[in-house]
Amino acid sequence: DENLCVSPYSIESALAMTFAGADGVTRSEMAQVLHFPSDANAVSASFASLQHSLEAMSAKTTELVKESKRFGGPSEPITLTIANRLFAQKGYDFRNAFLWLVRQDYGAAFEALDFVADASGATQHINKWVADQTRDRIRDLIPAGALDETTRLVLANALYLKAPWADPFL
């Protein structure tokens, strides 16, 4: 009974980061299903460009609001926060090229957690990060018990958007 907004951009970003780490048959199948070129670098560069454009648009609205206030327009800028992070099992080996690519093109920091010894604590930590990124709008992205000692990587994407709507939710 509450408003819900699903972000295709957010979902596609997470899949593109996953694609960046895929290889062989998995990469080929993902490229086919997602309609991506087989070159993960080209996909990542496109997403990096799109993310920078979205962030620039959000920043530009701050200036536009100053002007529009004089004419009775919107009084708040568009706020858009895009956050990506890799939460990985402490000590698990990931390819440096993958880690560099997701950091460079998606701004995804790498954080080691211990899913083996404390999956519940890792879940709480990830959920707190998501809540912080979404200004407490998403509190429990990862349900209790979803992560366990076999978890090696949680790739998280959080998007926060606050904007004036032409037709507000009721």
Side-chain angles (χ1 to χ4, degrees):
D1 294 329
E2 295 182 24
N3 292 323
L4 174 68
C5 182
V6 177
S7 169
Y9 169 79
S10 198
I11 294 165
E12 193 80 1
S13 266
L15 288 169
M17 284 187 283
T18 304
F19 178 70
D23 203 2
V25 174
T26 301
R27 175 176 280 176
S28 298
E29 289 175 345
M30 286 186 77
Q32 182 179 10
V33 168
L34 298 171
H35 303 284
F36 285 168
S38 58
D39 180 8
N41 290 326
V43 172
S44 294
S46 293
F47 272 89
S49 178
L50 177 57
Q51 183 168 334
H52 292 310
S53 293
L54 291 170
E55 290 167 343
M57 177 273 315
S58 180
K60 177 88 173 147
T61 66
T62 301
E63 294 302 316
L64 293 174
V65 162
K66 289 177 187 174
E67 291 296 315
S68 77
K69 278 184 184 178
R70 295 186 330 180
F71 306 105
S75 61
E76 286 189 49
I78 293 171
T79 303
L80 175 67
T81 305
I82 301 167
N84 297 303
R85 183 155 294 196
L86 302 175
F87 297 97
Q89 173 57 41
K90 185 170 80 174
Y92 194 80
D93 192 28
F94 289 91
R95 293 181 186 155
N96 286 331
F98 167 68
L99 298 177
W100 181 86
L101 183 74
V102 295
R103 176 108 174 132
Q104 176 72 26
D105 291 345
Y106 299 93
F110 180 84
E111 184 174 346
L113 298 176
D114 195 348
F115 298 106
V116 174
D118 189 11
S120 176
T123 300
Q124 290 173 1
H125 180 80
I126 295 167
N127 283 338
K128 181 179 181 334
W129 177 84
V130 171
D132 290 347
Q133 301 308 308
T134 62
R135 291 169 176 79
D136 220 24
R137 295 288 190 249
I138 301 172
R139 293 184 192 99
D140 295 311
L141 179 67
I142 311 287
L147 306 179
D148 62 24
E149 67 278 352
T150 63
T151 303
R152 293 298 169 258
L153 178 68
V154 174
L155 187 152
N157 168 276
L159 188 137
Y160 174 83
L161 173 66
K162 182 176 181 186
W165 295 91
D167 297 309
F169 293 104
L170 299 176

